[in-house]
Amino acid sequence: MLLDHHFYLAPLQGFTDFAYRRCHHQLFRSVDEFYIPYLAIGPGQKIRNSQLRDCLPENNVGLPVVPQILCSNVDELRRLAQEVAQMGYSKLNLNLGCPYPMATKRGRGTGLLEKSEQLKGVLDTLFSDFDFSVSVKFRSGMTDEQTILKQFELLQKYPFEKLIYHPRTAKQLYKGTANRELFAQLAAQSDKPLVYNGDISSKDDLDEIRQLVPNQKEWMIGRGVLSDPLLIDRLKGKTISEQEALQLKMQFHKQLLEAYRATYQDDGHVLIKMKQFWSYFANSFPNPAKTYKPIKKASKLARFLEIYPAISQKSI
Ligand SMILES: Cc1cc2nc3c(=O)[nH]c(=O)nc-3n(C[C@H](O)[C@H](O)[C@H](O)COP(=O)(O)O)c2cc1C
């Protein structure tokens, strides 16, 4: 049993919102910290209402959440960090890993990781003008994974509470494999906790990484938990029968469905949401493609509601 290990839910914009976090925490209580998908300055210099709503303390009561910000310069940092401070949070995560050109071309995410001067400005301000316990989430670089070896020296100069590393370049997006050896190399150099993040979807994955970094005890997981909400329990060594797992998974998704039906008036919107979730969730069933196909084809929420309970019957 990995009782002294910590597991964090990765921020997944469009998926791990407060409805998801609440349902997961109510049913499983296995996540030590939920990282909220980023807040950023959007079109018209405004932070999207949906992002603000996701962060609001009243929507996260009883949840161990950490807000995240995505910024390119000191001005953006100040606005976003002030917003988070006003909400009363004491923890803040800085995103230096977003790989999408929309962000990186504006010097955000991995774009900021590569710009040492801007990055120094942002970090100096964050640590001098604010009172947060700060963590940072980053990738290896834009195209060259060796970039991180140099930029890590810069990151090490600041008093981060923890550093979270997803060992892929921005160019890779989510393709190829995460470079576990590079993680091990950086972990050996780090004088602060370095959280591992990337491609953990089974106990075998975790064990393989643990062979490279035997002392590793902090893990962040995203898509693996979307596919199997019980993954962290399984990684910790909890025994769950197939029958029990299926029942819990279906209960979880029923609660999620109810939460979205209560949030959105429009059935079409709820259907889109549920299809997105099932595109991952189907992976934890014996035949993912076959499980997802009828869900993908459902053109009305009513049809989805007919199909998805039947899936649990067939899979037993
Ligand atoms: C749909 C999607 C949305 C994401 N949104 C964010 C985000 O808001 N902030 C962030 O730091 N990373 C984001 N990520 C990256 C994840 O947090 C995580 O680093 C990545 O999925 C690798 O971990 P995994 O292999 O366990 O999923 C996102 C990834 C995906 C697939």
Side-chain angles (χ1 to χ4, degrees), residues 9-16 35-39 68 70 93-100 137-139 164-166 168 173-174 178 196-201 220-226 280:
L9 186 72
L12 298 155
Q13 195 79 245
F15 290 91
T16 59
Y35 284 72
I36 302 181
Y38 63 75
L39 282 181
Q68 184 189 64
L70 176 76
N93 179 264
L94 177 66
N95 180 325
L96 296 181
C98 185
Y100 291 108
K137 182 167 178 285
F138 55 96
R139 287 193 176 228
I164 305 163
Y165 180 28
H166 176 54
R168 274 194 174 90
L173 295 174
Y174 296 98
Y196 177 87
N197 170 232
D199 304 350
I200 298 178
S201 57
M220 174 176 271
I221 308 179
R223 292 165 298 169
V225 174
L226 284 189
Y280 283 99

Side-chain angles (χ1 to χ4, degrees), residues 63 93 99 129 135 193 304:
L63 297 175
N93 179 264
D129 293 11
S135 58
F304 169 80

Side-chain angles (χ1 to χ4, degrees), residues 227-250:
S227 296
D228 178 6
L230 282 154
L231 178 63
I232 296 174
D233 286 304
R234 297 186 209 275
L235 298 178
K236 283 182 177 168
K238 203 168 159 184
T239 318
I240 312 155
S241 71
E242 272 315 300
Q243 185 91 16
E244 193 188 352
L246 185 61
Q247 195 224 325
L248 281 166
K249 284 193 294 187
M250 298 313 285

Side-chain angles (χ1 to χ4, degrees), residues 289-300:
K290 208 170 150 206
T291 305
Y292 185 52
K293 201 173 166 196
I295 288 177
K296 194 176 169 197
K297 271 176 64 186
S299 56
K300 292 257 180 332

Side-chain angles (χ1 to χ4, degrees), residues 127-192:
F127 283 101
S128 62
D129 293 11
F130 294 90
D131 222 7
F132 293 110
S133 168
V134 183
S135 58
V136 62
K137 182 167 178 285
F138 55 96
R139 287 193 176 228
S140 304
M142 287 297 297
T143 54
D144 176 3
E145 58 182 11
Q146 300 299 311
T147 303
I148 194 56
L149 299 177
K150 181 169 162 282
Q151 296 310 77
F152 196 60
E153 285 174 26
L154 172 60
L155 294 179
Q156 291 260 73
K157 292 186 180 140
Y158 292 87
F160 288 108
E161 173 216 347
K162 57 169 94 81
L163 301 111
I164 305 163
Y165 180 28
H166 176 54
R168 274 194 174 90
T169 60
K171 192 178 167 203
Q172 280 182 286
L173 295 174
Y174 296 98
K175 298 186 203 95
T177 47
N179 188 341
R180 296 164 175 182
E181 285 77 16
L182 195 56
F183 177 87
Q185 191 180 338
L186 226 58
Q189 290 172 26
S190 183
D191 50 20
K192 298 192 194 70

